Each structure stands twice: as C-alpha cells, then as structure tokens.
Amino acid sequence: MSSTSNQQLDIDLGPTGRPMPELPEPAPLDGHGPARIISMVNQKGGVGKTTSVINLGAALAELGRKVLLVDLDPQGALSAGTGVNPYDLDVTVYNLLMERDHDVREVIRSTSTDDLDVLPANIDLSAAEVTLVNEVAREMALARVLRPVVDDYDVIIIDCQPSLGLLTVNALAASHGVIIPLEAEYFALRGVALLVETIEKVQDRINPRLEMDGILITMFDPRTLHAREVCQRVVGAFPDKVFHTTINRTVKFPDASVAAEPIISFASSTKGADSYRQLARELIARGAAA
C-alpha cells in the first residue's frame, strides 16, 4: 500500500481508531412524543455523567427535539447545572416517587435553553432508597412518575447517582436505553462488567425492552498513550457499542457548570460543544433518539 493510501486511512480514522461514519443533520420532526427514555449510568463517580446529560440534552434540543432531564442523584448536580437551586425546592422528584398527590408537570422546571426542561432533585432523595424498599412494585416507581409526560417529549434523559442501588434500578426499569459514560482511564474499565451484568439482570427480570445504546468515552486526551490504549480496549470488548464520538478534556466544562449553562450555549464554538452536537447526531443516526 502506498504512503498516500496510509495517509488517507489515517485521515479517515476517528478518535476511537475506527472510520468515522457520516452523521448528517437530522430532519426536523413533524410533532413531539412519545419520548425515548435513556439512563446515563455508571456506578463510578466523576466520569462525566451529569455533564453529558446536560450537554447531550442541550444538543438534542438545539436539533429541535423536546427534551426532559431527570435528576435522580441526591447531590442535585444536574438541577444546579441547569440553573435550578436544589435547596429552594419544596417539591422534587422525591415527592413524586413517594407521594401520589403531586402533578409531575408542576414539578418540572424550564431551563434557559429552549425545549430543555428538568425534573429536579435535592438531598431529600437520599431517603428514597430506604423508603422504597417497602413499596409494592418498588422498581417501577419512576416509570409511574414519568408516564403522564412521556408524550410531551421526544427524549427523556435520566442522570443516575453513582451506585447500582434501587434508584438506578428504577431508572433502568423506566428506560428504553442506557448510555455508559466511561473515563479513558484504566481503573474505570474494571466496573463495566458489573454494570453490564446489572443491565442484563434488569432486562431479564423487569424490563425486556432495555437496550445498551452505547459506551461514551469521556475525559479523553488523545495525546496520551494510556488514554488511547484504554479506548482501544473498550472498543475491543464492545466493538459495536462504543460511540464514535469521544468527549475530550477541556477547562470549559467546569466553567460552564459554574455558569449553570450547557457548554452548547456557554462556549458554543468550542470543541467540547461540537463533540456533544456530534454525539446527538450519532444517537439519532443509531435510532436511539427521535
């Protein structure tokens, strides 16, 4: 093979070492709903779950999709990251899970991004794991909460807490798909097998429609051999499930979090914003979002 051909192959390869597919601009929708529900799950903290939920949601909204983000983490980082002060809330997703006399539409908050809403949470949610244990159909509480608004949105994305407890099982039971954000770091690989096992158990016992939409490589630094090797190992283990899009490290993500804005609007022309736009197009191209 000539050196020119080798150069051409290098140019065509994406950050995961595979040829990048064409990701056309999605066609506008004729109407909205019913939503496809996606859980963003990893029992390891600090892998970019909340950042990915906010920015993927904002990128989908930019494409004309109506998006609801669900905060299912008692830390309330998703709520805070979309401009909702979790400590000012009288009624949150916790009350919807535990009490029947609330209207979910009255708890949902709009954000500064058009077509992007949030169902907020705060520290009250930490009591849900213990309280739900005694409930009938305890794994289906979140599905019940979301049922009245499924037809109002095109995509619902759930930000799960970093554990595989009952709240995360509720998210998986309510979902059509799962995205696993995975830091490009060796120790992050170790928990993936346990997470996949949990997803398979939920598929078998509670929610047969659940699919793994993909693994999203986050905090990726293509300049380091370590990050590239981790990426190759993940692609080798899950060849059809790793998104072609990767999310690279950038200081703009923490800055956007402080500003309580998606990077799509906070730093619209940056590589980080473009990565989430590409991820939104890839998700739609895969059929994992409308």
Side-chain angles (χ1 to χ4, degrees):
M1 187 180 288
S2 69
S3 60
T4 306
S5 299
N6 283 327
Q7 287 171 0
Q8 186 63 42
L9 282 173
D10 290 341
I11 290 168
D12 290 342
L13 292 182
T16 64
R18 298 167 296 170
M20 279 296 293
E22 288 288 325
L23 298 173
E25 194 74 10
L29 297 175
D30 295 330
H32 298 292
R36 191 167 188 278
I37 304 174
I38 301 169
S39 285
M40 192 79 68
V41 182
N42 193 325
Q43 74 272 30
K44 186 177 185 300
V47 297
K49 274 195 302 292
T50 303
T51 297
S52 293
V53 170
I54 292 170
N55 291 296
L56 175 58
L60 288 165
E62 193 178 60
L63 292 170
R65 275 62 185 165
K66 286 202 69 173
V67 182
L68 174 65
L69 308 180
V70 178
D71 195 347
L72 210 63
D73 186 344
Q75 296 178 74
L78 172 64
S79 304
T82 51
V84 177
N85 185 343
Y87 302 105
D88 287 346
L89 300 170
D90 293 325
V91 182
T92 66
V93 69
Y94 170 74
N95 303 92
L96 294 169
L97 289 168
M98 304 312 306
E99 304 157 11
R100 298 283 183 139
D101 56 344
H102 297 285
D103 183 348
V104 62
R105 290 184 178 90
E106 293 178 1
V107 184
I108 290 171
R109 302 292 186 94
S110 57
T111 71
S112 59
T113 302
D114 290 342
D115 291 328
L116 184 69
D117 295 340
V118 61
L119 182 57
N122 60 20
I123 195 65
D124 293 348
L125 188 59
S126 58
E129 294 261 346
V130 176
T131 315
L132 276 172
V133 166
N134 300 315
E135 294 288 314
V136 175
R138 59 192 180 188
E139 298 92 353
M140 304 307 296
L142 183 62
R144 170 184 57 78
V145 167
L146 295 178
R147 199 171 295 128
V149 294
V150 164
D151 288 337
D152 299 346
Y153 296 94
D154 300 308
V155 185
I156 297 174
I157 310 176
I158 304 170
D159 185 24
C160 298
Q161 66 178 1
S163 84
L164 296 178
L166 191 50
L167 284 175
T168 298
V169 171
N170 259 266
L172 295 174
S175 293
H176 300 93
V178 184
I179 295 175
I180 301 174
L182 187 69
E183 184 182 2
E185 198 269 328
Y186 174 71
F187 288 110
L189 286 171
R190 300 176 65 181
V192 174
L194 179 61
L195 180 49
V196 170
E197 185 181 317
T198 301
I199 292 167
E200 288 173 349
K201 282 181 181 176
V202 172
Q203 284 172 325
D204 289 342
R205 301 175 188 179
I206 304 170
N207 182 8
R209 72 181 180 181
L210 186 65
E211 303 176 316
M212 176 137 61
D213 287 341
I215 296 172
L216 175 65
I217 304 293
T218 63
M219 302 181 185
F220 184 59
D221 185 348
R223 298 169 300 179
T224 69
L225 178 62
H226 178 74
R228 294 197 305 272
E229 285 179 344
V230 168
C231 189
Q232 287 168 7
R233 288 189 62 171
V234 178
V235 170
F238 304 96
D240 301 323
K241 292 299 182 185
V242 180
F243 286 105
H244 290 272
T245 305
T246 60
I247 309 301
N248 291 10
R249 289 188 184 274
T250 169
V251 295
K252 290 296 182 184
F253 287 128
D255 292 347
S257 298
V258 170
E261 262 191 78
I263 198 168
I264 300 291
S265 55
F266 177 78
S268 181
S269 60
T270 58
K271 185 171 174 54
D274 286 342
S275 294
Y276 279 106
R277 289 187 180 105
Q278 180 176 298
L279 177 63
R281 292 198 306 273
E282 186 172 357
L283 199 67
I284 291 170
R286 285 183 174 211

